[in-house]
Amino acid sequence: MSPTRITKVVITPVAFADPPLLNAVGVHEPFALRSIIEMETSDGVTGLGESYGDASHLERLHRVAQALIGVDVFATSRMLEVTADTLGGAVGADRHGLTGQISASGTALRTFAAFEVAALDVQGKLLGRPVSDLLGGAVRELVPFSAYLFYKWASHPGDAADRFGEVLDAAAIVAQARWMLKDYGFGAIKLKGGVVSPELEIEAVFALRDAFPEVPLRLDPNTAWSVATSIDVARQLEGVLEYLEDPTPGLAGMAEVARETPTPLATNMCVVGFEDIPPALALGSVRVILSDHHYWGGLRKVSGLAEICDTFDLGLSMHSNSHLGISLAAMTHLAAAVPNLTYALDTHWPWKDDDVIEGGVLTFRDGALRVPTSPGLGVELDRDALARLHERYLTCGISDRSDTRYMQSIDPTYDGTLPRW
Ligand code: GKR
Ligand code: MG
């Protein structure tokens, strides 16, 4: 059989409206950026991928896309080699700073991941099988997601209040959870912390526990707390949280906290690549890893991560950043095929109004998505929407995500240094 070769890769940067969601390093800018990848092949089949939209990442995607022309779309290991060779040790920056340190190999994996998803979409279409089948087959038909709550302002400065309203205290957090659980049916709740004082965030968690006693809760301050503060918060929330996510920076700090609390610690910040796993295990830093195919190197790398988690009795969950439907489809296929991805996944989905995919395929019912069964990822581009969101990218004036820079443009005294409490 002759190989199906990559003949062309089109990368379209897009921007979509994002509310002023607060986190430990600032506030979301009015638009979130993504890149949409269309991989064309010699068999006339096109695959889709989605990745970050920062300017330097786009530049790397373009460089690698050129180098991938002619590669067999089934040869994903070769694609990773080509990616690493093309980038030649370049180290990318994560300007928003909430997904850990980035190494040269991590930069290659982040870049490759976008193309791997598109290649798997092509493979699935050629074989007439959903992407979950290429990852070992779906072990579940429904993939559960969690409600992702944020403190937020009523609007971006100068705008009218958005439809989500101001959320700056425990009562408003509970109201936000009520809305999300009612509209999406989520069966788990994550609160993005590191925004107000630990005391107020503890109060919000207790308010959530009282309002939704049956719903598992998580709190993620993105390393905003010292070791001492983390231990104190963990003790106060003992028995209340399903897991506590990234309370403090670094593997050693997390290990100190872990020794003092029975609550499992989870991370998407101190274990962000395979090389972090041995020291994390040696120190006992975390009990749950939040995977993310966008920076772990694609869907198959996360399947490999799952095996390691299983071997070492670590829990596995999934991290999210502001994203669109191609990423959501990829996350869903992956979670469907990984037996031990049993925690409800994070998603920013409820916070946006727009997308680049045709509607209808990814609809939340009872907090879960039904795994698409059509060939590939099972989602199609809406070309008008893609053009509209690309136009927005060109006019929005943002080319790199920086929550801190945006916050400082509003409050010049803001200091994004962590830990803060
Ligand atoms: O969207 O503000 C946000 C989140 O804080 C995101 O940037 C984090 O990477 O969701 C992420 C997390 O779990 O740390
Ligand atoms: Mg996190």
Side-chain angles (χ1 to χ4, degrees):
M1 231 171 122
S2 57
T4 300
R5 302 214 178 267
I6 298 169
T7 51
K8 187 176 173 188
V9 181
V10 180
I11 299 161
T12 310
V14 296
F16 59 98
D18 202 13
L21 306 178
L22 295 157
N23 61 32
V25 292
V27 58
H28 284 211
E29 293 165 285
F31 296 94
L33 310 180
R34 299 295 276 177
S35 49
I36 304 301
I37 286 87
E38 294 171 75
M39 181 179 278
E40 298 177 16
T41 62
S42 53
D43 278 345
V45 173
T46 298
L48 300 176
E50 177 185 332
S51 186
Y52 309 100
D54 291 340
S56 56
H57 185 69
L58 282 170
E59 184 275 323
R60 284 188 290 275
L61 288 175
H62 278 289
R63 243 186 314 145
V64 172
Q66 280 311 309
L68 290 176
I69 304 301
V71 176
D72 182 347
V73 79
F74 282 84
T76 48
S77 299
R78 176 74 193 128
M79 286 171 60
L80 176 53
E81 263 176 19
V82 170
T83 305
D85 288 352
T86 305
L87 296 180
V91 180
D94 167 21
R95 293 282 305 273
H96 99 291
L98 298 180
T99 54
Q101 293 297 319
I102 307 182
S103 59
S105 62
T107 303
L109 290 170
R110 267 172 199 249
T111 312
F112 163 72
F115 300 113
E116 188 235 26
V117 171
L120 290 174
D121 190 28
V122 173
Q123 292 178 23
K125 286 172 177 163
L126 287 169
L127 296 167
R129 307 295 288 255
V131 164
S132 57
D133 278 2
L134 306 176
L135 303 172
V139 294
R140 51 183 75 85
E141 289 176 1
L142 297 172
V143 171
F145 287 78
S146 65
Y148 197 161
L149 311 185
F150 279 85
Y151 291 96
K152 68 178 289 295
W153 294 332
S155 68
H156 286 285
D159 289 358
D162 63 35
R163 69 185 169 93
F164 309 108
E166 180 179 271
V167 179
L168 293 173
D169 61 22
I173 285 287
V174 169
Q176 188 185 89
R178 245 183 243 302
W179 150 64
M180 249 192 226
L181 267 58
K182 177 172 154 291
D183 282 16
Y184 293 86
F186 294 124
I189 296 176
K190 161 167 169 167
L191 172 61
K192 174 56 50 176
V195 175
V196 295
S197 70
E199 294 71 34
L200 292 175
E201 292 181 0
I202 291 170
E203 184 189 325
V205 171
F206 276 117
L208 288 168
R209 198 268 317 263
D210 293 347
F212 311 100
E214 307 300 326
V215 179
L217 302 175
R218 310 159 184 180
L219 174 61
D220 176 14
N222 282 117
T223 72
W225 306 333
S226 66
V227 167
T229 301
S230 304
I231 292 170
D232 182 43
V233 176
R235 287 197 175 135
Q236 292 192 55
L237 290 177
E238 233 166 79
V240 180
L241 295 177
E242 172 178 39
Y243 55 69
L244 175 60
E245 196 174 316
D246 287 311
T248 203
L251 292 172
M254 288 281 281
E256 271 189 75
V257 180
R259 280 195 288 276
E260 301 297 325
T261 176
T263 304
L265 299 191
T267 188
N268 60 274
M269 295 179 74
C270 67
V271 181
V272 294
F274 291 96
E275 65 282 10
D276 298 323
I277 296 174
L281 285 169
L283 289 166
S285 309
V286 295
R287 284 180 28 214
V288 180
I289 295 179
L290 284 94
S291 63
D292 184 330
H293 73 270
H294 302 90
Y295 63 85
W296 276 85
L299 305 182
R300 290 203 170 118
K301 290 281 184 198
V302 174
S303 297
L305 170 65
E307 298 284 346
I308 294 173
C309 289
D310 193 35
T311 306
F312 292 99
D313 208 18
L314 293 171
L316 183 65
S317 187
M318 202 184 280
H319 163 262
S320 147
N321 260 318
S322 305
H323 64 87
L324 294 168
I326 299 169
S327 281
L328 187 67
M331 291 157 73
T332 304
H333 281 282
L334 175 60
V338 170
N340 52 327
L341 221 169
T342 46
Y343 287 104
L345 280 52
D346 288 357
T347 179
H348 286 61
W349 189 259
W351 293 110
K352 65 173 188 59
D353 293 320
D354 236 334
D355 214 306
V356 295
I357 58 163
E358 304 269 5
V361 181
L362 303 171
T363 306
F364 284 92
R365 290 218 171 76
D366 298 328
L369 287 180
R370 186 163 289 282
V371 186
T373 51
S374 48
L377 291 171
V379 292
E380 297 295 334
L381 271 183
D382 173 339
R383 295 238 155 245
D384 292 342
L386 181 67
R388 189 161 32 80
L389 269 59
H390 177 57
E391 185 56 30
R392 194 166 296 152
Y393 170 82
L394 295 175
T395 56
C396 75
I398 301 170
S399 56
D400 279 295
R401 174 178 173 176
S402 174
D403 300 2
T404 306
R405 180 191 54 209
Y406 180 49
M407 181 63 111
Q408 285 170 342
S409 74
I410 298 159
D411 171 8
T413 67
Y414 182 80
D415 178 3
T417 311
L418 300 176
R420 185 168 297 122
W421 287 282

